[in-house]
Amino acid sequence: MIPQDLKYTKEHEWIRVEGDTGTIGITDYAQHELGDIVFVELPQVGAKVEFMKAFGTIEAVKAVSDIFSPLTGEIVDVNTALETNASAINTDPYGQGWIIKVKMTNPSELNNLLDAAAYGKLIGQ
Amino acid sequence: MSDKQTPFYHIHQKLGAKIIPFAGYLMPVMYDSITAEHLRVRNSVGLFDLTHMGEFELTGSGAKDFTQKLVTNDVSKLAPNQVMYTCMCYEDGGIVDDLLVYNLKDRIYLVVNASNIAKDFAHIEKHKPANVKLTNLSDQTALLAIQGPMAEKVMRQVTDYPLETIKYYYAAEGKVAGEQILFSRTGYTGEEGFELYFPNELGPKMWDVIYNKITALGGGAIGLGARDSLRLEMKMALYGNDIWEKTNPLEAGLGWVTKLDKGDFIGRDALVKVKEKGLTRKLVAFEMEDKSFPRQHYPILSGGKQIGEVTSGVISPSLNKGIGMGYVETKFGDIGAKIEIGIRGQNHPAVVVKPPFYKNASHK
């Protein structure tokens, strides 16, 4: 099940755009591939993120994975609930498992992202 | 070369396992959750498909004497049906593989790592004398492991064999689920458990009988992911991670299975020299002192200077912290020594600890 209203990266992040702000997380496919997520290294509010640059890491029992930003901008909110409950990314990757909110500086970057159909194709669904 | 399926492949698929190619086989890495599977083995019981492992048989009048030359541990000490963990080495003392030796009535049975089957076979074939016959049974042999504090309870329901007569690291040949098979009280988890060897064609039947008993006790199937975290919590070495051709058993902490005084064996001369000169590095167990997680190939440092590299690392599901092993220069490897692990450019504090990491395993 791939939500239709989101945009996706080839690195398996999703972004939900509302006005000039994007909420970012990782996809259900990505959380399943990683397995049990135990810890998320989160950035600070106010930090800058860049298009397709890593802004944090996800530690699963067996592996570690970088999280890439689908957009350039400034972090306006961080899901601090993940500090004590990183497994929310496993159980609810598109809801409670959101990671950061970014105020976009260059909305045209959205054109570089995949829509649900293209992302589905990428992961063979 | 396409990857082989074990006789349990379709069962794994039906259970929704995530299946990956591993050592030439399509193996289940996880069914639902590595953490849940791991804790299931620690707290109740789990069933592992380990068919990828290799099984060799040595027969003929010279089988036992040759095995004594082949491996580092002392085979002459083995009682009938006893099983022994050991290494086998090259002439230079480097480790060819770590393996189990079964001293059975009419044969020596070897269980080797899946990724080393071809290499091990060639090594043994090269060294064996004419009065020993080597047979590779790997392709026709299925292996299931039942591991956890309730493992014996499961076995009692599938065999009439007097299990109390099988001590830790002993084998038996008897009827399990109505079939005459080889099984042993062995494992790679630190828990009580059994490993069962039988022809592939019995696979689905054996799984069904045993799996039903296991699920009735709250247990379940366990993938290779939890197998790795379970063995790491016990500081059991994994070939390819913690030991390889360029490591020797003494620095790997496997001196206890390396009997330099047992008489000649392949690699002995080199290992005696290593011991005389003293170890330059050793494999240590360490725990992170902050909320960070070591992974294979991360640098190990002391005072900011690199002293080694992580060979295995995991977030321990039992202890809920980062644990790992790695080789360090000997002088930095004492229990309690403060070290650092370099994680994405930052040094995180860790401490060398006395293994195992997990102290409450059901096998004492």
Side-chain angles (χ1 to χ4, degrees), chain A residues 32-33 36 38-39 41 57 59-64, chain B residues 18 30 33-35 228 291 293 295 298 314-315 344:
Chain A
H32 194 257
E33 284 298 300
D36 302 319
V38 181
F39 185 74
E41 197 176 295
T57 54
E59 299 272 4
V61 173
K62 282 278 282 179
V64 57
Chain B
K18 183 176 159 192
M30 163 178 103
S33 142
I34 291 176
T35 307
D228 188 50
K291 200 153 178 72
F293 307 102
R295 306 288 179 185
Y298 285 1
V314 77
I315 302 172
R344 292 180 290 280

Side-chain angles (χ1 to χ4, degrees), chain A residues 6-7 22 25-26 37 40-42 50 62 66 80 86 89 92 97 102 104 108 117 122:
Chain A
L6 308 180
K7 294 270 204 177
I26 69 165
I37 293 165
V40 188
E41 197 176 295
L42 296 165
E50 280 182 63
K62 282 278 282 179
D66 284 329
T80 51
I89 298 175
D92 190 11
V102 170
M104 295 183 261
S108 69
L122 177 78

Side-chain angles (χ1 to χ4, degrees), chain B residues 75-120:
Chain B
V75 175
S76 73
K77 295 259 164 62
L78 282 176
N81 283 328
Q82 196 174 0
V83 185
M84 183 176 254
Y85 174 70
T86 183
C87 290
M88 62 181 176
C89 289
Y90 294 105
E91 293 289 359
D92 70 359
I95 303 173
V96 182
D97 203 358
D98 64 332
L99 65 155
L100 295 181
V101 174
Y102 285 65
N103 183 33
L104 303 180
K105 193 171 58 189
D106 51 354
R107 63 201 196 279
I108 296 283
Y109 196 77
L110 305 177
V111 182
V112 305
N113 279 299
S115 50
N116 291 339
I117 292 173
K119 180 184 82 173
D120 289 357

